[in-house]
Amino acid sequence: MNIKNGLKKINGYYFKKKLVTSIIVGVFAIAAGVGAGIVIDKFVLGQISANYDGMDAGDYSMDTDSFMEKYNALGNCDDYSTKFTPAEMINIGFTLYKRFDNTMSITKGTVHAAGTEQLIRAANVKADGEYLEESISLGVIPVATRTYQNSENIRLIRGTNIQAEGAVWPDECVVYTNEEYIEDFGKTPSDPCIYIISSKTITESSITRDGTDYVISTKLTKKSSVLNYIRQMKSISNLKEYPSFNKMEITFTLDSNLLIKKAVTSEAYFARTSSGLGSTCDGGVTIEYFTDGNFTIPDRNTPINYSYQGAK
């Protein structure tokens, strides 16, 4: 990763290639509305971290063209689980979601560890071809970021005066190209899922019906499914190395046409800070995806509506 020290103010913004923040107690990296974070449970020095050398996210991702062509040709179907694999169904769900011009996802969760509680809030808004991603972690050490993406660049802002439903967002920001942002954070705000979901990363799965909805429970690989996520965690948390996962499980809810409605995550991992201290960690969030509102990207002084529950 290319790192340049110092800030330069241009057109009212501060430019820098790399954002580094040292936080010991709680960092929650919630991108595309998916991801838990780090809460220190106990400090350890001896655990060996996972080795991701030679692993490339592209080798484990799915090419959606073939099964999207099949999906488009099918028309209405009473039971898509007889036509597609769980991995295909989930990827269809996110592909359909990305087709909408106006969307919002809301993420909420609470993590407990070592007698502490960390409250998680996150949102992702798509409107007029632009994107906003907000992440708030409120606990012993509050953390908040907003990322704005347009056709020219990606701007990341760190919040102050952090509360459960928002923060104060200053003028100063870190500006990236799409390529630089992906290198550091694994994905851009325009991608609704930071985890790699494919036939190569799902180790166990089951499908049930809840009314007309499909509920797909998955257990994922501990390395290949998180190749994008570990970049995000390392960059935001200033970790010494990439985290090593002990558990990664996600339950997805898709509607009768396979559009993604909800994802519930449960994960456990070991992470080591730049100081060398390590922590066993666990977390989980619920993400709801909406396509039924008139969503707009708020300016810096406008908070996200975290109470939104869908158009009535």
Side-chain angles (χ1 to χ4, degrees):
M1 301 178 185
N2 296 324
I3 301 175
K4 294 182 179 179
N5 295 322
L7 293 171
K8 182 178 181 181
K9 191 171 184 180
I10 302 176
N11 294 330
Y13 294 110
Y14 288 83
F15 287 71
K16 191 176 181 182
K17 295 295 184 182
K18 173 78 174 178
L19 175 68
V20 177
T21 306
S22 298
I23 296 173
I24 299 301
V25 177
V27 174
F28 293 86
I30 310 198
V34 179
I38 299 172
V39 171
I40 298 304
D41 185 1
K42 60 179 181 179
F43 291 106
V44 293
L45 291 171
Q47 180 162 332
I48 299 174
S49 298
N51 182 1
Y52 299 95
D53 290 348
M55 300 184 72
D56 184 271
D59 294 335
Y60 301 94
S61 303
M62 296 187 76
D63 181 358
T64 62
D65 289 345
S66 61
F67 54 82
M68 284 306 302
E69 183 177 348
K70 176 181 175 181
Y71 172 85
N72 293 332
L74 269 178
N76 293 329
C77 180
D78 291 334
D79 189 356
Y80 283 105
S81 66
T82 64
K83 306 295 183 180
F84 300 99
T85 68
E88 290 172 338
M89 293 173 69
I90 295 165
N91 277 276
I92 290 170
F94 282 112
T95 301
L96 295 177
Y97 182 76
K98 291 172 69 174
R99 287 180 176 177
F100 283 85
D101 293 328
N102 193 215
T103 62
M104 180 169 71
S105 67
I106 297 291
T107 299
K108 296 181 180 180
T110 303
V111 177
H112 297 85
T116 65
E117 178 178 281
Q118 203 82 9
L119 179 70
I120 306 167
R121 294 288 185 268
N124 183 292
V125 181
K126 175 184 179 181
D128 298 323
E130 299 186 0
Y131 300 84
L132 164 69
E133 192 163 84
E134 178 175 286
S135 174
I136 295 173
S137 175
L138 190 64
V140 178
I141 296 181
V143 182
T145 61
R146 264 194 181 187
T147 304
Y148 290 88
Q149 179 185 1
N150 59 30
S151 59
E152 296 180 358
N153 57 42
I154 296 176
R155 297 180 289 117
L156 189 148
I157 305 171
R158 296 199 63 80
T160 62
N161 300 328
I162 302 165
Q163 305 295 325
E165 303 303 326
V168 174
W169 307 102
D171 289 334
E172 295 82 1
C173 70
V174 182
V175 178
Y176 297 83
T177 65
N178 282 7
E179 293 74 17
E180 289 169 339
Y181 196 85
I182 292 172
E183 178 70 16
D184 276 11
F185 294 94
K187 75 169 199 67
T188 63
S190 58
D191 189 340
C193 183
I194 197 164
Y195 300 111
I196 300 173
I197 309 298
S198 73
S199 57
K200 296 180 180 179
T201 64
I202 295 178
T203 60
E204 295 181 33
S205 65
S206 63
I207 301 176
T208 58
R209 298 298 293 268
D210 181 7
T212 60
D213 291 344
Y214 298 86
V215 180
I216 307 177
S217 300
T218 66
K219 292 185 178 181
L220 305 178
T221 57
K222 299 171 185 177
K223 286 187 177 182
S224 55
S225 70
V226 297
L227 288 174
N228 293 330
Y229 185 34
I230 59 174
R231 290 179 178 270
Q232 181 194 75
M233 297 172 73
K234 187 174 186 290
S235 291
I236 290 183
S237 320
N238 193 24
L239 298 181
K240 184 179 180 65
E241 61 220 351
Y242 291 131
S244 55
F245 279 76
N246 299 313
K247 180 179 72 170
M248 176 54 62
E249 299 177 2
I250 309 178
T251 298
F252 300 91
T253 300
L254 314 177
D255 74 6
S256 60
N257 294 315
L258 298 188
L259 176 65
I260 183 71
K261 293 178 64 177
K262 183 168 68 173
V264 180
T265 75
S266 178
E267 55 196 72
Y269 47 86
F270 173 83
R272 196 189 308 275
T273 66
S274 59
S275 66
L277 290 175
S279 165
T280 55
C281 315
D282 63 82
V285 294
T286 297
I287 311 100
E288 294 185 278
Y289 302 87
F290 301 103
T291 60
D292 58 358
N294 183 21
F295 309 117
T296 59
I297 293 179
D299 60 28
R300 290 187 299 103
N301 299 315
T302 304
I304 294 289
N305 178 16
Y306 281 104
S307 63
Y308 185 81
Q309 295 181 339
K312 303 302 182 183

